[in-house]
Amino acid sequence: MSKNIGLRSKIELEVFRKYFDKEIEEHPLRTLFWECTLRCNAACLHCGSDCKVSAQMKDMPITDFLKVVDNIKPHIDPHKTFIIFTGGECLVRKDLEKAGLELYRREFPWGIVTNGIFLDKKRFDSLIASGMRTATVSLDGFEVEHNWLRGNPHCFEKAVEALKLMAAEDGFIFDVVTCVNQKNFDYLEQFKEFLISIGVRSWRIFTIFPVGRAANVPELQVSNEQFTQVLEFIEKTRREGKIHLCFACEGFLGGYELKVRDSIYQCNAGISVASVLADGSISACPSIRANFHQGNIYKDDFWKVWNEGFKPYRDRSWTRQGICADCKVYKYCRGNGMHLHDETGKLLVCHYNRILR
């Protein structure tokens, strides 16, 4: 496999491109993130690359977020719009169950993104009783590697305990997300077997680009050769069928598309994904740069913003600059993920160009 795109893949890409054009036009809201806190019980080496506010900011009151939920409910089918609590570390809040129960009463499915440190049996059962349907847990290798990256000596132990709880809960949907870096690159095969042994059935992998704190930690970066090897590892693992593994939704991958993902790459930010940030900002996925915010719930009507705003997300012709200007796969990639553009709009990394032929 390589970055080269064969005839069959080109046909598939063209079909998908037309589908995505229609998706942009209709922009159905399918996922809504709530950045419910900026507080955290870890100190991740790669975190904070776009931090604009202090973690001392007070958590958003549940009632403020529920006003947004009630604002959108008349316009959508709540069963088809998934709400995800994120942070910071969302489980530092003691009232997530209250928020979750209110969403459950409004018939919205919801889940969490967590490092697992505060997810013991009692808390897990409490969240399940409040309607929690899914969870994503960060686990970046074995104990030494994971604790190094997360800056907490208990991170690995607690995350594994949380994953075992989830695996034992019948019907509960969860996955692991792993940041591949120099510390864990050589152990991906062994780590895969470990995840399988503790009951993990779904796994996502991503890499880090050198911005913010991550720019000062060279061990976080993988070489282009290693990046290509990661894609080959994913393809091999998917063929084995013992665990469902995907590369994360960040960047077009040429000939690897559909070999390392379930569907062809698309950045759904502002197309079907929105978020309410801790300060009330209306954005797409929570990692999008601040100059792409579209309003604020404390002064704007969310649903009106969703329908009439998000222009930079839905018409990305502005991204056709720099290395994208004459790119032969631009019509499929559309300028890569929105979170990979800096404050000026410049693309910070191109995954397609990292792949070795």
Side-chain angles (χ1 to χ4, degrees):
M1 184 55 61
S2 73
K3 69 194 296 180
N4 296 321
I5 303 170
L7 178 60
R8 180 177 177 179
S9 293
K10 285 182 179 178
I11 294 172
E12 293 172 338
L13 286 167
E14 283 297 327
V15 171
F16 183 81
R17 184 168 67 91
K18 292 176 182 177
Y19 158 80
F20 196 50
D21 284 340
K22 183 178 180 182
E23 189 84 345
I24 293 171
E25 181 181 354
E26 296 177 354
H27 51 269
L29 181 60
R30 295 196 181 98
T31 304
L32 178 61
F33 285 93
W34 179 30
E35 187 182 58
C36 62
T37 183
L38 290 177
R39 294 180 291 141
C40 192
N41 49 11
C44 303
L45 291 174
H46 61 310
C47 185
S49 61
D50 189 41
C51 187
K52 300 294 183 186
V53 288
S54 168
Q56 298 302 314
M57 176 185 292
K58 292 183 179 180
D59 296 344
M60 180 183 291
I62 291 173
T63 52
D64 292 358
F65 178 67
L66 290 177
K67 288 178 182 177
V68 175
V69 174
D70 291 336
N71 173 251
I72 68 174
K73 187 178 179 183
H75 308 284
I76 53 96
D77 179 351
H79 303 106
K80 296 180 180 179
T81 301
F82 198 82
I83 296 177
I84 302 174
F85 299 161
T86 185
E89 167 52 43
C90 64
L91 292 183
V92 302
R93 290 191 65 145
K94 305 295 186 182
D95 58 356
L96 280 195
E97 288 84 347
K98 180 180 178 182
L101 193 57
E102 290 298 329
L103 293 178
Y104 180 77
R105 288 170 177 163
R106 290 164 170 80
E107 301 184 353
F108 283 88
W110 65 274
I112 64 173
V113 177
T114 179
N115 58 35
I117 295 176
F118 286 165
L119 196 63
D120 57 15
K121 182 68 164 62
K122 181 178 180 181
R123 189 77 196 272
F124 181 66
D125 289 345
S126 178
L127 291 164
I128 289 290
S130 301
M132 182 175 70
R133 297 270 296 276
T134 72
T136 291
V137 180
S138 298
L139 193 61
D140 304 295
F142 294 109
E143 185 168 14
V144 172
E145 295 79 22
H146 181 67
N147 291 349
W148 165 78
L149 180 60
R150 298 291 163 175
N152 186 309
H154 305 293
C155 264
F156 179 81
E157 173 191 359
K158 296 298 184 181
V160 170
E161 289 177 3
L163 288 168
K164 289 180 178 178
L165 286 172
M166 295 175 189
E169 182 69 22
D170 186 41
F172 188 71
I173 300 170
F174 69 100
D175 68 351
V176 166
V177 62
T178 298
C179 162
V180 177
N181 56 75
Q182 293 295 340
K183 295 281 189 178
N184 62 21
F185 176 80
D186 291 330
Y187 305 103
L188 289 177
E189 187 68 35
Q190 297 96 312
F191 187 57
K192 175 191 72 178
E193 296 299 331
F194 170 74
L195 292 178
I196 294 170
S197 73
I198 62 173
V200 175
R201 298 177 292 276
S202 187
W203 184 23
R204 280 180 293 145
I205 278 177
F206 72 101
T207 54
I208 295 175
F209 57 101
V211 172
R213 294 181 195 174
N216 301 317
V217 187
E219 295 93 338
L220 288 176
Q221 314 305 321
V222 295
S223 68
N224 290 350
E225 181 179 5
Q226 289 173 321
F227 180 73
T228 305
Q229 290 173 2
V230 167
L231 298 180
E232 291 171 351
F233 168 75
I234 297 173
E235 184 178 358
K236 169 179 168 289
T237 299
R238 288 169 68 87
R239 287 198 305 266
E240 291 172 350
K242 295 191 292 184
I243 187 171
H244 184 238
L245 175 59
C246 292
F247 187 71
C249 56
E250 49 169 309
F252 180 70
L253 300 173
Y256 283 99
E257 289 296 329
L258 292 181
K259 302 293 184 180
V260 298
R261 290 189 175 113
D262 296 338
S263 62
I264 292 171
Y265 167 75
Q266 64 193 73
C267 177
N268 283 313
I271 311 301
S272 60
V273 176
S275 65
V276 175
L277 303 184
D279 64 352
S281 293
I282 300 170
S283 186
C285 83
S287 58
I288 298 294
R289 301 252 176 290
N291 62 321
F292 291 113
H293 293 170
Q294 298 296 294
N296 192 291
I297 65 168
Y298 292 114
K299 64 182 181 65
D300 300 306
D301 179 275
F302 181 93
W303 189 248
K304 183 176 181 180
V305 171
W306 177 250
N307 279 302
E308 299 179 9
F310 288 90
K311 299 286 192 300
Y313 295 87
R314 295 168 189 168
D315 178 2
R316 299 188 187 178
S317 56
W318 60 269
T319 64
R320 192 140 203 176
Q321 57 179 298
I323 62 173
C324 294
D326 301 311
C327 181
K328 63 182 181 180
V329 299
Y330 177 85
K331 62 182 178 180
Y332 307 130
C333 178
R334 305 181 194 232
N336 217 316
M338 287 289 290
H339 68 294
L340 298 174
H341 291 266
D342 68 12
E343 298 289 346
T344 68
K346 178 184 176 182
L347 181 64
L348 299 170
V349 62
C350 173
H351 294 79
Y352 179 74
N353 282 341
R354 296 199 68 188
I355 300 170
L356 301 182
R357 294 184 182 274

